[in-house]
Amino acid sequence: MAEPVLELRGVSKRYGEAVAVDEVSLTVERGEFLTILGPSGCGKTTVLRLIAGFEQPSAGEIVLEGRSMAGVPPERRAVNTVFQSYALFPHMNVFDNVAFGLRMRGFAPTEVRRRVLDALRLVHLEDLATRMVDRLSGGQQQRVAIARAVVNEPAVLLLDEPLSALDYRLRKRMQIELKHLQRSLGITFVLVTHDQEEAFSMSDRVAVMNQGRIAQLDTPTAIYETPANLFVARFVGEINVLPGVVVGCVEHMTHVEVEGRVIPLSTPPGCWQVGNKVHVLLRPEDLRVETLRDLDEDPELRASFGRVPALLGVVEETVYKGATYDVILRLDSGTMLTATEFFNEDDETVYFRPGDRVAVTWVQGWETVLAYAP
Ligand SMILES: Nc1ncnc2c1ncn2[C@@H]1O[C@H](COP(=O)(O)OP(=O)(O)O)[C@@H](O)[C@H]1O
Ligand SMILES: [Mg+2]
């Protein structure tokens, strides 16, 4: 079994009346890339500051490499932080910024040189070793900050929104580089971001935070495909939320009335009872939209459409997205749905237009069913 390098056990942080971090528990495996994802103000930075030792928990315990960190000052913890602002020394050159921590710890000059040059090579800055850091671009400063942290070979590297100051293209490139760097170093990364794409593209697991608590901790795929609650469902990507009520339960099959139609859903047995109110969640890209131009008068054909009984409606709007387009439609009940469709280069007649009568279906099992919460 993988060995945990870092554990948070019921960690809370209060500032007066305000609760910034609320009973957070999590375990990070050695070599793992874990991302804490959540909206501004949800407590992400506070979690990192608690791990680094810049803040003390109001309750709970932080364990690093099997040792409680209670009372251990930041400089005695085997972690390094890459701050949002980089916090470089502007009056020093690249080499001296990266060497600073090693020199403070009394490493011999030859060892300092070897380690610094290794770290600079990792972030492709070996040619800029003598450049003053205030003469570097944002992306280069970012790399110095990373080199300065990894040169100490910490057990855990903490990164607080490390890419947020970079423009879109550089951010995309740095995401891939960071992931490569993490793999080649084998260092555990705990990264904080409010950017879902960033979290998903780099991480082994993602902890979604909301109001000081962990709303879900799982792999990116599990978080996207089976969100544990409405907050997570809505925070990661777009999703359609349809209210429904359970009208039948037989073993692995639950029948839910949604938008006036009874739809069979695959759910674990014992999950639901007749009368339970639920939310049926559907990602736009999981919906299939079919035109009903000729089929409108044929209820039987209509009912056999797709793999679950079709919901019927009218296209209100289409939104061009480049590789895909969104079809915004109003179901006959009045509920609005968004479906994402691919362009068909060979057949332009299949594009939907406002006013089209359509049927919406999906593959049974692609939906997520949650208990109704207002
Ligand atoms: N030193 C502090 N004193 C008082 N409140 C704070 C302090 N640091 C953070 N907070 C509050 O704690 C909450 C979480 O902040 P933070 O961890 O910075 O969130 P995030 O990084 O997710 O944006 C916010 O409501 C913030 O105002
Ligand atoms: Mg923050």
Side-chain angles (χ1 to χ4, degrees), residues 64-117:
L64 186 64
E65 299 191 295
R67 249 183 82 211
S68 169
M69 287 294 109
V72 178
E75 67 275 12
R76 304 269 310 278
R77 301 187 181 198
V79 301
N80 274 100
T81 308
V82 175
F83 296 98
Q84 198 163 1
S85 59
Y86 311 153
L88 301 175
F89 304 116
H91 56 285
M92 291 185 191
N93 68 23
V94 169
F95 186 98
D96 291 338
N97 262 275
V98 177
F100 186 80
L102 298 176
R103 286 173 176 157
M104 290 296 283
R105 286 158 63 196
F107 280 86
T110 49
E111 179 67 4
V112 170
R113 187 173 172 75
R114 188 186 64 77
R115 285 223 210 175
V116 171
L117 292 181

Side-chain angles (χ1 to χ4, degrees), residues 38-46 48-49 84 160-161 192-194:
S40 175
C42 74
K44 306 180 296 294
T45 294
T46 306
L48 282 200
R49 293 177 59 81
Q84 198 163 1
D160 191 355
E161 312 251 7
V192 155
T193 182
H194 63 274

Side-chain angles (χ1 to χ4, degrees), residues 93-147:
N93 68 23
V94 169
F95 186 98
D96 291 338
N97 262 275
V98 177
F100 186 80
L102 298 176
R103 286 173 176 157
M104 290 296 283
R105 286 158 63 196
F107 280 86
T110 49
E111 179 67 4
V112 170
R113 187 173 172 75
R114 188 186 64 77
R115 285 223 210 175
V116 171
L117 292 181
D118 277 353
L120 290 180
R121 251 191 303 278
L122 272 174
V123 296
H124 309 301
L125 281 180
E126 61 270 37
D127 295 339
L128 295 179
T130 56
R131 179 82 62 90
M132 299 303 281
V133 293
D134 57 4
R135 304 283 304 280
L136 298 176
S137 71
Q140 290 165 337
Q141 290 185 11
Q142 163 62 247
R143 287 159 203 235
V144 177
I146 291 169

Side-chain angles (χ1 to χ4, degrees), residues 18-320:
V19 183
V21 175
D22 194 2
E23 289 190 24
V24 164
S25 294
L26 60 84
T27 299
V28 186
E29 308 297 342
R30 198 173 285 281
E32 189 173 25
F33 197 132
L34 180 99
T35 295
I36 301 173
L37 170 70
S40 175
C42 74
K44 306 180 296 294
T45 294
T46 306
V47 169
L48 282 200
R49 293 177 59 81
L50 288 163
I51 297 169
F54 302 123
E55 303 280 354
Q56 299 309 313
S58 313
E61 190 182 25
I62 294 169
V63 178
L64 186 64
E65 299 191 295
R67 249 183 82 211
S68 169
M69 287 294 109
V72 178
E75 67 275 12
R76 304 269 310 278
R77 301 187 181 198
V79 301
N80 274 100
T81 308
V82 175
F83 296 98
Q84 198 163 1
S85 59
Y86 311 153
L88 301 175
F89 304 116
H91 56 285
M92 291 185 191
N93 68 23
V94 169
F95 186 98
D96 291 338
N97 262 275
V98 177
F100 186 80
L102 298 176
R103 286 173 176 157
M104 290 296 283
R105 286 158 63 196
F107 280 86
T110 49
E111 179 67 4
V112 170
R113 187 173 172 75
R114 188 186 64 77
R115 285 223 210 175
V116 171
L117 292 181
D118 277 353
L120 290 180
R121 251 191 303 278
L122 272 174
V123 296
H124 309 301
L125 281 180
E126 61 270 37
D127 295 339
L128 295 179
T130 56
R131 179 82 62 90
M132 299 303 281
V133 293
D134 57 4
R135 304 283 304 280
L136 298 176
S137 71
Q140 290 165 337
Q141 290 185 11
Q142 163 62 247
R143 287 159 203 235
V144 177
I146 291 169
R148 193 179 58 172
V150 302
V151 80
N152 296 306
E153 298 178 355
V156 180
L157 186 62
L158 307 172
L159 304 106
D160 191 355
E161 312 251 7
L163 308 179
S164 61
L166 308 179
D167 68 49
Y168 181 78
R169 285 171 64 96
L170 187 55
R171 203 157 72 228
K172 294 277 124 188
R173 214 177 78 207
M174 286 302 292
Q175 283 173 14
I176 296 167
E177 287 191 10
L178 260 188
K179 182 70 212 164
H180 281 165
L181 191 64
Q182 188 262 344
R183 283 212 189 110
S184 58
L185 289 169
I187 294 180
T188 311
F189 275 33
V190 177
L191 181 140
V192 155
T193 182
H194 63 274
D195 181 333
Q196 170 222 317
E197 211 178 296
E198 194 166 299
F200 281 14
S201 61
M202 292 192 286
S203 320
D204 299 313
R205 287 188 306 154
V206 175
V208 184
M209 270 188 85
N210 181 30
Q211 298 184 333
R213 292 178 161 266
I214 293 184
Q216 186 169 6
L217 202 178
D218 216 325
T219 62
T221 328
I223 283 176
Y224 191 76
E225 291 179 2
T226 47
N229 48 61
L230 277 187
F231 175 81
V232 173
R234 288 183 166 134
F235 192 73
V236 298
E238 282 191 64
I239 199 151
N240 296 291
V241 179
L242 299 174
V245 62
V246 176
V247 294
C249 301
V250 187
E251 289 176 0
H252 288 270
M253 196 60 75
T254 304
H255 283 87
V256 177
E257 190 178 320
V258 180
E259 302 298 317
R261 304 189 76 104
V262 174
I263 292 177
L265 303 175
S266 333
T267 53
C271 256
W272 305 105
Q273 294 180 344
V274 171
N276 283 164
K277 288 168 88 181
V278 296
H279 284 301
V280 178
L281 275 48
L282 293 156
R283 295 282 177 201
E285 65 274 20
D286 289 344
L287 294 177
R288 203 171 121 188
V289 185
E290 308 273 1
T291 310
L292 277 194
R293 266 185 211 110
D294 307 318
L295 307 177
D296 210 17
E297 301 307 307
D298 188 342
E300 233 175 89
L301 196 53
R302 214 159 64 195
S304 69
F305 226 86
R307 281 156 277 192
V308 294
L311 306 177
L312 304 180
V314 175
V315 173
E316 288 243 315
E317 194 77 67
T318 61
V319 181
Y320 178 70

